[in-house]
Amino acid sequence: MIISWKKICLTMLLIGAAMESFAFETGQSGYVINVGGAKSEYTLMSFFVLPNQSLSIEVVKAGKHIPFKVGSGTHLNKFDWTAPANPGLQTLLIQPDGELPSTLHMFILHPMNLVKNNKLNGYTIGEYPKDVYKGLDSYRPPLGFVEVTKSNQDMLISPHYTLRQFLCKQNEGYPKYVVLQTRLLRKLEYLTTAVNAQGIAMDSFTVMSGYRTPYYNTAIKNKKYSRHQWGGAADIYVDVNPKDGVMDDLNRDGKVNEKDAKYLWDMVESFYRGVPEYKPFIGGLGLYKANAVHGPFVHVDVRGTRARW
């Protein structure tokens, strides 16, 4: 089933009515927060920075800066923030004048140089490719890793997604480590809203595979340059009705098969044609059939260039 992008655009314009029908809250703020070049349109979003990294935070609506408060201070155009010296989490509450407040989770990373003998605090990372794919910066080793523990793994890192959903599947104890990109979270939130607007009620996609360490990626014989290793990819499906570990019957033909994944694939593909706000999320889009291990699913990523399979 091919979904025209015009139909998608019309549906997105009617999103308010759709959300009321399905009791879905988008988490959108109505303005944009710019955090050192990374952005958020949501009242909750996560950003990933190195220890002692300095960056500027701005709030913009309709192309104009909005004054905002951080703590007791009011800032007209920007707020200069420096990350703590030690890895961990610092949460900032952004309160723009006359707007909903937003929470920023600032994850201070464990830098890549702390990985010794392919391990970080006992957790196996493996080795990123030495030869950088086509010389692209996006394929250089990540700057660092978010530490995930039993106590923080279920925290929301965007309106509808938690850290746990992106953990690598390798069988090792805590602490675990992940690489994540803010743009991937934004893309998944965008698509989650779009699916609800199509009349498919869900809180979030099931993320079958999020981050993969190079060690795990090699173990499952995946492609050398899989974007999962850089925290910018997710294999997803809708699993709500019933919640049974496989894709739902999205096209409502009474069967669960590749056509349901194609329904989701077509929806995502439609945004590449005539939906300007989707431009930051350009990346890979893959369609996968069911096999003995998993049901049908769709791969999405934010590599920055169009790729299809």
Side-chain angles (χ1 to χ4, degrees):
M1 178 184 295
I2 301 297
I3 307 170
S4 73
W5 70 262
K6 290 183 179 179
K7 179 181 178 182
I8 293 290
C9 290
L10 177 60
T11 303
M12 294 298 284
L13 289 175
L14 297 174
I15 195 169
M19 293 306 100
E20 183 178 352
S21 299
F22 302 111
F24 176 78
E25 296 291 338
T26 68
Q28 294 172 345
S29 64
Y31 53 85
V32 175
I33 299 178
N34 188 330
V35 180
K39 296 180 179 180
S40 170
E41 312 89 341
Y42 297 92
T43 56
L44 171 62
M45 187 52 66
S46 296
F47 298 87
F48 310 95
V49 301
L50 287 170
N52 296 314
Q53 182 177 345
S54 296
L55 47 80
S56 293
I57 298 174
E58 303 171 310
V59 180
V60 178
K61 183 174 183 178
K64 297 181 179 180
H65 284 91
I66 304 175
F68 62 97
K69 289 183 179 180
V70 183
S72 60
T74 299
H75 308 275
L76 297 179
N77 294 315
K78 66 178 182 177
F79 168 59
D80 293 323
W81 178 81
T82 300
N86 296 317
L89 172 66
Q90 187 171 109
T91 297
L92 302 178
L93 182 64
I94 307 296
Q95 297 179 292
D97 286 359
E99 304 287 343
L100 293 171
S102 287
T103 298
L104 308 185
H105 287 323
M106 310 297 289
F107 284 94
I108 296 87
L109 304 172
H110 290 251
M112 172 62 77
N113 62 16
L114 295 180
V115 177
K116 305 296 182 184
N117 298 319
N118 293 331
K119 289 182 178 286
L120 178 57
N121 291 337
Y123 185 79
T124 307
I125 301 297
E127 189 173 0
Y128 279 85
K130 286 186 171 63
D131 47 334
V132 177
Y133 181 67
K134 294 184 178 181
L136 296 170
D137 287 341
S138 59
Y139 286 90
R140 299 188 187 280
L143 297 176
F145 303 85
V146 175
E147 183 171 281
V148 183
T149 65
K150 289 183 179 180
S151 61
N152 75 358
Q153 64 182 356
D154 292 315
M155 72 177 293
L156 284 169
I157 54 176
S158 69
H160 301 96
Y161 291 88
T162 68
L163 270 176
R164 184 198 288 266
Q165 289 174 277
F166 299 93
L167 287 176
C168 184
K169 291 184 176 179
Q170 67 193 55
N171 188 23
E172 295 190 33
Y174 294 87
K176 301 177 186 291
Y177 293 89
V178 300
V179 178
L180 270 175
Q181 295 182 28
T182 300
R183 273 198 305 148
L184 177 65
L185 295 175
R186 292 170 60 209
K187 181 169 185 170
L188 291 176
E189 289 291 349
Y190 186 98
L191 296 177
T192 300
T193 296
V195 167
N196 276 273
Q198 284 292 307
I200 301 168
M202 69 168 194
D203 291 328
S204 72
F205 291 106
T206 294
V207 180
M208 190 177 80
S209 183
Y211 174 60
R212 294 179 193 154
T213 64
Y215 164 78
Y216 182 79
N217 193 67
T218 300
I220 64 173
K221 298 181 179 180
N222 204 268
K223 294 181 179 179
K224 178 179 180 180
Y225 295 104
S226 167
R227 294 306 303 169
H228 289 272
Q229 299 169 100
W230 284 269
D235 296 336
I236 58 175
Y237 59 92
V238 178
D239 179 19
V240 177
N241 187 25
K243 192 168 184 62
D244 56 2
V246 295
M247 177 79 82
D248 285 353
D249 179 17
L250 299 186
N251 66 354
R252 301 177 177 87
D253 67 353
K255 303 174 183 179
V256 174
N257 52 33
E258 181 188 359
K259 292 181 180 179
D260 299 297
K262 186 62 164 57
Y263 181 98
L264 181 57
W265 193 101
D266 286 338
M267 180 185 296
V268 179
E269 173 65 7
S270 71
F271 293 127
Y272 285 81
R273 301 186 299 272
V275 184
E277 65 267 26
Y278 197 73
K279 187 176 181 180
F281 310 135
I282 288 175
L285 176 60
L287 176 67
Y288 290 84
K289 300 179 180 180
N291 61 23
V293 178
H294 58 72
F297 68 91
V298 168
H299 167 102
V300 295
D301 66 52
V302 288
R303 70 184 67 192
T305 55
R306 188 178 186 277
R308 295 291 179 273
W309 62 93

